Amino acid sequence: MEIVYVYARRRCDFGRPCNFSDRPAELHVDVLPDPALAADFVRRDPCDVAVQCAQEMSEHEVNTERFESEARGINHVEGGWPKDINPQEMEQTIRFRKKVEKDENYLNTVMQLGTLMEHCIKQNNAIDIYQEYFEDEEEMVDSRERPSAKTINVFRDPNEVKRTATSLSWHPDGSRKLAIAYSCLEFQRAAKNMSFDSYIWDIENPSCPEMTLKPASPLVCLEYNPKDSHILLGGSYNGQIGYWDTRKGSQPVETSAIEHGHRDPVYKAIWLQSKTGTDTFSASTDGQVLWWDIRKMSEPTERLVLDLGRKGNLDNALGAISLEFESTMPTKFMVGTEQGLVVSCNRKAKTPAEKIVCTYSGHHGPIYALQRNPFFPKNFLTVADWTARIWSEDIKESSIMWTKYHMSYLMDGCWSPVRPSVFFTVKMDGTLDVWDYLFKHNDPTLSLKVCDEGLFSLRVQDSGALLACGSQLGTATLLEVSPDLSTMQRNEKALATAMFERETKREKILEARQREMRVKERSRSEQSKEDEGRDTDAGDESAEQLLARAERDFFEIVGAELKKRELEAGQEQIGAEELAGYFLTSYQANGPGCQ
Amino acid sequence: MNWSFETLKRIQTQKGVQGIIIVTAEGIPIRSTLDNASTVQYAGLIQQLVMKARVTVREMDPQNDLTFLRIRSKKNEIMIAPDKDYFLIVIQNPTD
């Protein structure tokens, strides 16, 4: 191919024709080295230079516009029949069939196919060619692959104004569906046009929710009924409890009356185990735990006020943030409070005063999550402030195991339903931590940054492999954990039991020792009181006396300092100007920075 | 003497056979030992599957043609013997 470039110019625009000639080289510029310039440079030895012989590539991310797809069914009728025959008419179809059966072609074909088919059937009956030979032997999973988790799907809040995904609940059988409750928990920050809806998503279809639930006020918590997978219980921001039936539509079937419900948002509502499968209870920061029967939502069936003084006084009550109920221990339940205490209660107590059995203290902030270990019900996990702690029911003074203090708030946590030593937590900085304390105590086994905003809620599916976490902007992420975190290892139960026992024993010993020391202190202080009877110094000072003493000391010190300065100024025998100058310098020296 | 009936009876007496359907190439069931609803469902679905399988085999090698199709599932095995105009479908529970 000829490469030709043609341009045209006027003859007078062309310069003079070129005249080439030979001549020797001419030196135009000669820059001599100037050693003085070397002073501006520092010698660097050795130099690190990276060289790579590879193609230069750049990375770009492209994301297509999100499109909404909907699956719809099509109704079609039986087809294939020839034009003159109406498939609904029995007579015509029978006649057609009889006609075909008389056809010679048909007979031959059927004979042929029949022999072929018989051969295969007999083959099947003779030997099962798909027989599994080594079924009994267990797979030796010895692959030391690192634990990992990957995101499978992300469900975004379809509304304009994003709300926090405060609670998640998996569908009880099959777990193909996930119910998410959305609300804005920040006090009075909810935008005016914020939608109140909560959604049920099908995990295969993240583009649009499968069903909407429309409460009167945004839902703070949502739970599927473990016995009946069509019923969901929701607690809302205005203190009402409602239940939905997915077969009956988006409106709640029944909600509690506002006067009898809670006075604060219902932070947690759980289904109870009962013969009718309709009992639930709920907790809220107004200090009450209410029991409901969903058939009659107008009034709670029972009420408990979380007053530690056991007087039923609402003003003294602790606000409840989380509830725990294990169906294997139906008489006991636990409440996690805003004040950082876990209150263990007995359901079957006769008087309300006896309902509260004991408390466990140790946290500094509200207890956002509380769950018993599914394999060891005597131990439970609490997630609050900046730590997660594991407790044993017998030790009330402190937890038996705890994580270090993290940089951001821990918002939710739960045990893995398949492995007794694994639990998950989520934090306000958007990370999900997987802890396996048979593997490592100090740090999480796996720490994943799921999103930029804070994560508020977390729920593991019953199989142990899938987990969903909800964030502040309403995005729920579905993650799958690697198989070694979701299958039970050999001896795991025995090892976990041994570990729990060891830690419990340690705490018991520590507790006993502390008690001893306290007793000793007390006896010692009693003795010293007898010896030094009247000495009231530093021993029995009241607050006022302490204050007076502090004031006195302070003024003494200030007075002494002032006097010292006057002396210094007065001792100098100098003229007024120099005095002024001295004052200035002395002021600068001893002035604002003076301590 | 309609030998087709004999053939079908013989197949039916084999061990593990749950049902037999004979379908035309358009998907009209001619004879079946199952109830109507299942028959229609099988006929419709399998006809499409056989078409697809045949096209697949033919595309790989135009001289080739589909002679038999077996679908083994957890609960049973569906065997399909296709012909130009008719299919013979047998559902069997294999020995295990």
Side-chain angles (χ1 to χ4, degrees), chain A residues 80-82 97 100-101 103 105-107 109 111 113-114 116-118 120-125 128 130, chain B residues 2-3 10-11 14-15 22 28-31 68 70 72 77 79 81 83 85 88 90 92 95-96:
Chain A
W81 294 96
R97 287 203 175 105
V100 170
E101 280 177 355
D103 185 18
N105 189 14
Y106 172 83
L107 291 173
T109 316
M111 306 271 276
L113 296 180
L116 176 57
M117 185 63 80
E118 251 192 280
C120 288
I121 292 178
K122 285 186 183 154
Q123 213 177 45
N124 263 350
N125 285 335
D128 183 6
Y130 299 101
Chain B
N2 210 334
W3 286 107
R10 218 185 28 237
I11 295 180
Q14 297 283 352
K15 190 162 80 132
I22 303 185
I28 307 172
I30 301 293
R31 179 164 278 280
F68 200 82
R70 278 206 218 210
R72 193 166 178 116
E77 179 162 346
M79 294 179 278
D83 185 74
D85 304 315
L88 172 62
V90 172
Q92 186 194 20
T95 50
D96 53 355

Side-chain angles (χ1 to χ4, degrees), chain A residues 70-124:
Chain A
E70 219 180 290
R72 279 175 191 261
I74 297 184
N75 202 10
H76 53 234
V77 293
E78 201 173 307
W81 294 96
K83 284 229 176 68
D84 50 351
I85 297 187
N86 182 0
Q88 311 297 343
E89 288 246 348
M90 279 281 288
E91 257 189 50
Q92 292 188 352
T93 52
I94 290 180
R95 217 188 312 150
F96 178 79
R97 287 203 175 105
K98 285 229 167 71
K99 196 176 72 170
V100 170
E101 280 177 355
K102 298 226 166 51
D103 185 18
E104 201 188 306
N105 189 14
Y106 172 83
L107 291 173
N108 286 340
T109 316
V110 171
M111 306 271 276
Q112 222 177 28
L113 296 180
T115 37
L116 176 57
M117 185 63 80
E118 251 192 280
H119 175 75
C120 288
I121 292 178
K122 285 186 183 154
Q123 213 177 45
N124 263 350

Side-chain angles (χ1 to χ4, degrees), chain A residues 406-436:
Chain A
H406 293 273
M407 298 307 290
S408 52
Y409 240 66
L410 262 71
M411 293 307 289
D412 200 355
C414 56
W415 289 100
S416 161
V418 288
R419 287 195 63 188
S421 63
V422 171
F423 65 91
F424 305 90
T425 54
V426 285
K427 305 218 277 275
M428 267 314 259
D429 60 359
T431 50
L432 164 77
D433 291 326
V434 180
W435 299 79
D436 178 0

Side-chain angles (χ1 to χ4, degrees), chain A residues 149-177:
Chain A
K150 65 173 196 249
T151 318
I152 299 189
N153 251 334
V154 177
F155 305 96
R156 284 179 224 279
D157 187 2
N159 303 68
E160 284 274 326
V161 180
K162 302 285 177 199
R163 306 150 300 159
T164 316
T166 47
S167 172
L168 306 154
S169 175
W170 286 94
H171 189 96
D173 5 275
S175 304
R176 308 253 26 103
K177 298 206 237 181

Side-chain angles (χ1 to χ4, degrees), chain A residues 334-384:
Chain A
M334 295 201 287
V335 184
T337 61
E338 254 184 320
Q339 285 77 6
L341 294 173
V342 177
V343 184
S344 167
C345 309
N346 187 341
R347 219 175 129 196
K348 298 280 184 236
K350 300 289 181 325
T351 66
E354 277 174 34
K355 273 230 150 95
I356 299 179
V357 173
C358 56
T359 62
Y360 301 86
S361 63
H363 273 294
H364 309 291
I367 299 187
Y368 287 109
L370 177 57
Q371 196 191 7
R372 283 186 202 262
N373 188 328
F375 294 86
F376 301 100
K378 286 217 144 207
N379 298 301
F380 58 93
L381 168 74
T382 55
V383 171

Side-chain angles (χ1 to χ4, degrees), chain A residues 108-360:
Chain A
N108 286 340
T109 316
V110 171
M111 306 271 276
Q112 222 177 28
L113 296 180
T115 37
L116 176 57
M117 185 63 80
E118 251 192 280
H119 175 75
C120 288
I121 292 178
K122 285 186 183 154
Q123 213 177 45
N124 263 350
N125 285 335
I127 288 183
D128 183 6
I129 62 176
Y130 299 101
Q131 184 187 10
E132 184 98 30
Y133 290 121
F134 303 107
E135 224 174 48
D136 294 330
E137 281 195 23
E138 267 183 31
E139 261 179 60
M140 288 289 141
V141 182
D142 232 28
S143 56
R144 301 271 155 196
E145 51 175 82
R146 307 184 65 230
S148 63
K150 65 173 196 249
T151 318
I152 299 189
N153 251 334
V154 177
F155 305 96
R156 284 179 224 279
D157 187 2
N159 303 68
E160 284 274 326
V161 180
K162 302 285 177 199
R163 306 150 300 159
T164 316
T166 47
S167 172
L168 306 154
S169 175
W170 286 94
H171 189 96
D173 5 275
S175 304
R176 308 253 26 103
K177 298 206 237 181
L178 183 60
I180 308 185
Y182 295 92
S183 60
C184 183
L185 281 179
E186 294 181 36
F187 187 60
Q188 295 189 342
R189 289 267 186 89
K192 279 207 204 59
N193 55 346
M194 184 178 96
S195 138
F196 290 167
D197 299 340
S198 293
Y199 302 107
I200 299 183
W201 298 82
D202 182 344
I203 59 178
E204 308 280 305
N205 183 13
S207 53
C208 86
E210 197 183 328
M211 201 174 144
T212 316
L213 300 172
K214 295 189 196 291
S217 157
L219 287 178
V220 180
C221 64
L222 191 53
E223 282 289 324
Y224 264 103
N225 186 343
K227 299 267 166 61
D228 181 357
S229 53
H230 295 282
I231 312 257
L232 289 128
L233 176 72
S236 41
Y237 196 71
N238 64 358
Q240 278 184 311
I241 314 264
Y243 83 96
W244 276 260
D245 189 332
T246 51
R247 298 166 290 204
K248 296 211 186 117
S250 312
Q251 295 293 330
V253 178
E254 216 186 316
T255 43
S256 64
I258 298 200
E259 313 87 61
H260 296 292
H262 288 281
R263 305 225 146 64
D264 265 352
V266 179
Y267 278 96
K268 193 90 178 161
I270 304 189
W271 293 92
L272 286 173
Q273 209 195 33
S274 70
K275 277 179 254 151
T276 53
T278 52
D279 284 325
T280 67
F281 67 145
S282 62
S284 157
T285 38
D286 62 356
Q288 298 178 73
V289 177
L290 299 173
W291 276 262
W292 306 85
D293 183 335
I294 58 172
R295 292 168 298 189
K296 184 167 166 282
M297 283 289 230
S298 50
E299 239 192 6
T301 53
E302 228 185 301
R303 166 198 300 260
L304 167 67
V305 177
L306 285 170
D307 178 15
L308 284 184
R310 294 186 169 83
K311 293 201 195 66
N313 193 350
L314 250 179
D315 295 324
N316 281 357
L318 310 165
I321 291 258
S322 51
L323 270 183
E324 198 283 329
F325 174 75
E326 177 80 29
S327 39
T328 51
M329 296 192 170
T331 53
K332 291 200 277 193
F333 68 94
M334 295 201 287
V335 184
T337 61
E338 254 184 320
Q339 285 77 6
L341 294 173
V342 177
V343 184
S344 167
C345 309
N346 187 341
R347 219 175 129 196
K348 298 280 184 236
K350 300 289 181 325
T351 66
E354 277 174 34
K355 273 230 150 95
I356 299 179
V357 173
C358 56
T359 62
Y360 301 86

